[in-house]
Amino acid sequence: MALLKVKFDQKKRVKLAQGLWLMNWVSVLAGIIIFSLGLFLKIELRKRSDVMNNSESHFVPNSLIGVGVLSCVFNSLAGKICYDSLDPAKYAKWKPWLKPYLAICVSFNIVLFLVALCCFLMRGSLESTLAYGLKNGMKYYRDTDTPGRCFMKKTIDMLQIEFKCCGNNGFRDWFEIQWISNRYLDFSSKEVKDRIKSNVDGRYLVDGVPFSCCNPSSPRPCIQYQLTNNSAHYSYDHQTEELNLWVRGCRAALLSYYSSLMNSMGVITLLVWLLEVSITAGLRYLHTALDSVPNPEEPECESEGWLLEKSVPETWKAFLESVKKLGKGNQVEAEGADAGQAPEAG
């Protein structure tokens, strides 16, 4: 028994074709939007590629760009099919290709749904690549004279100012690395020598942060150095007083920014997916309704349309049997080829 059978007269078939034609062109615009969103996300990720460890994070924008292009192509073609279905002579040219086309549309809908899920599930991968990339970026902050790394100081400073953050997990991350270049250290100074000798790696570590960590909204002038030394500043206690630095780490800030972007894109992609599923179902109804017309020379007669010719279990069983037959056919062909080669070898 056919699944979700619906009766159509000529008027209903015409309305269905016209409605699907309009929905397809709306879906073309939706495909352009998805393409634009993917392009925007890719540009945003490339802006901060210096503080990201790998290119895995580009999978989502590349996928959005791809499905956006495919959506435009498939829906433009579907719009043409719906338009030609009103003319029996033109529809006859499309009729042999409709079943393969519907199968492709179903596959595309599955891919589109998976891309929407990826938009929600990429947070973990993005968090790990940001953690490692920011750590390396901070390590190269001082290399202003090293070719290939001289831009890193500006990148980190602009990042901290734009996203109102400091360090990887927080401002104390700067205490663990030497972020001041040796070029600006006076090695004849006893204080510099003592600080370098105070750690095994021979680095100049200070309890200070770059200027880009300062919060301009703070009423007090920025305390940038000797953050843990209460006696170095008047009326100051680093454990109780709220520091005039950005408290949030840049990893959390960037993760929040990109996650909100990808979540919004995931919601939009899901809405487009619902539209695509509706169009595919409508095309199936139109296809079966036109094929089941008793007499094509009398278009005014009634016909029936359905989603599946049989019930879901029967359709699944038939699909599995066809796959088994295909596998057996390939096996027989392989055995025949081996048998043909054996006499030649003899």
Side-chain angles (χ1 to χ4, degrees), residues 50 54 68-69 78 86 88 121 125 174 184 208 250 270 278 295 299 307 320 337 345:
D50 299 325
N54 52 42
V69 172
L86 300 174
L121 300 176
S125 174
W174 290 107
Y184 305 107
C250 289
L270 279 179
S278 303
N295 187 2
L307 284 181
L320 292 178

Side-chain angles (χ1 to χ4, degrees), residues 11 51 57 82 110 139 141 144-145 157 166 169 205 213 223 235 262 271-272:
K11 188 176 180 181
V51 293
S57 53
C82 294
I110 294 172
K139 186 169 66 176
Y141 182 89
T144 53
D145 299 326
D157 283 333
C166 185
N169 298 309
L205 303 180
C213 284
I223 297 176
S235 184
M262 288 194 287
L271 293 175
V272 175

Side-chain angles (χ1 to χ4, degrees), residues 207-268:
D207 55 343
V209 296
F211 78 97
S212 52
C213 284
C214 294
N215 182 358
S217 301
S218 174
R220 180 169 188 161
C222 185
I223 297 176
Q224 186 180 350
Y225 295 101
Q226 296 183 332
L227 292 172
T228 57
N229 186 1
N230 293 335
S231 61
H233 312 284
Y234 175 74
S235 184
Y236 174 77
D237 186 352
H238 74 279
Q239 293 182 343
T240 59
E241 185 176 352
E242 183 178 353
L243 300 176
N244 50 5
L245 305 174
W246 302 121
V247 178
R248 186 167 64 160
C250 289
R251 181 177 62 171
L254 284 172
L255 188 62
S256 174
Y257 173 70
Y258 285 121
S259 295
S260 63
L261 275 181
M262 288 194 287
N263 288 341
S264 301
M265 293 178 185
V267 171
I268 293 172

Side-chain angles (χ1 to χ4, degrees), residues 45-306:
L45 288 170
R46 281 191 175 277
K47 280 183 184 177
R48 297 161 190 101
S49 58
D50 299 325
V51 293
M52 291 185 176
N53 181 39
N54 52 42
S55 58
E56 288 181 8
S57 53
H58 288 269
F59 173 77
V60 170
N62 291 340
S63 300
L64 288 172
I65 291 171
V67 296
V69 172
L70 290 176
S71 177
C72 293
V73 173
F74 288 153
N75 287 290
S76 299
L77 184 59
K80 175 64 175 172
I81 293 172
C82 294
Y83 183 79
D84 288 348
S85 66
L86 300 174
D87 186 348
K90 291 181 179 179
Y91 174 73
K93 299 177 182 178
W94 292 105
K95 189 176 179 179
W97 303 99
L98 275 178
K99 276 191 176 180
Y101 177 76
L102 285 169
I104 293 172
C105 286
V106 170
S107 302
F108 173 70
N109 289 337
I110 294 172
V111 172
L112 187 61
F113 181 73
L114 293 176
V115 171
L117 285 183
C118 287
C119 291
F120 297 108
L121 300 176
M122 282 296 290
R123 181 184 175 91
S125 174
L126 189 62
E127 185 174 8
S128 60
T129 188
L130 280 172
Y132 192 80
L134 281 168
K135 187 177 180 181
N136 280 340
M138 291 171 62
K139 186 169 66 176
Y140 301 139
Y141 182 89
R142 62 174 179 164
D143 297 339
T144 53
D145 299 326
T146 305
R149 298 178 187 169
C150 55
F151 58 86
M152 190 58 72
K153 179 183 180 298
K154 179 182 177 181
T155 300
I156 296 292
D157 283 333
M158 295 302 295
L159 178 70
Q160 294 187 145
I161 292 172
E162 180 180 356
F163 286 91
K164 300 179 180 180
C165 58
C166 185
N168 189 351
N169 298 309
F171 68 92
R172 291 184 180 274
D173 293 338
W174 290 107
F175 298 176
E176 301 171 3
I177 62 171
Q178 180 181 339
W179 54 273
I180 301 175
S181 174
N182 289 338
R183 180 181 179 183
Y184 305 107
L185 294 177
D186 182 9
F187 286 95
S188 62
S189 170
K190 184 178 181 302
E191 180 187 355
V192 173
K193 290 179 181 179
D194 290 343
R195 283 191 178 275
I196 292 175
K197 290 178 182 179
S198 64
N199 62 86
V200 180
D201 298 331
R203 295 175 298 169
Y204 182 75
L205 303 180
V206 294
D207 55 343
V209 296
F211 78 97
S212 52
C213 284
C214 294
N215 182 358
S217 301
S218 174
R220 180 169 188 161
C222 185
I223 297 176
Q224 186 180 350
Y225 295 101
Q226 296 183 332
L227 292 172
T228 57
N229 186 1
N230 293 335
S231 61
H233 312 284
Y234 175 74
S235 184
Y236 174 77
D237 186 352
H238 74 279
Q239 293 182 343
T240 59
E241 185 176 352
E242 183 178 353
L243 300 176
N244 50 5
L245 305 174
W246 302 121
V247 178
R248 186 167 64 160
C250 289
R251 181 177 62 171
L254 284 172
L255 188 62
S256 174
Y257 173 70
Y258 285 121
S259 295
S260 63
L261 275 181
M262 288 194 287
N263 288 341
S264 301
M265 293 178 185
V267 171
I268 293 172
T269 307
L270 279 179
L271 293 175
V272 175
W273 172 74
L274 290 174
L275 178 62
E276 293 288 350
V277 170
S278 303
I279 290 172
T280 304
L283 279 173
R284 177 60 175 166
Y285 272 116
L286 182 64
H287 170 225
T288 53
L290 290 172
D291 282 357
S292 63
V293 173
N295 187 2
E297 295 180 358
E298 296 180 6
E300 295 181 359
C301 58
E302 286 191 351
S303 62
E304 292 181 342
W306 56 81

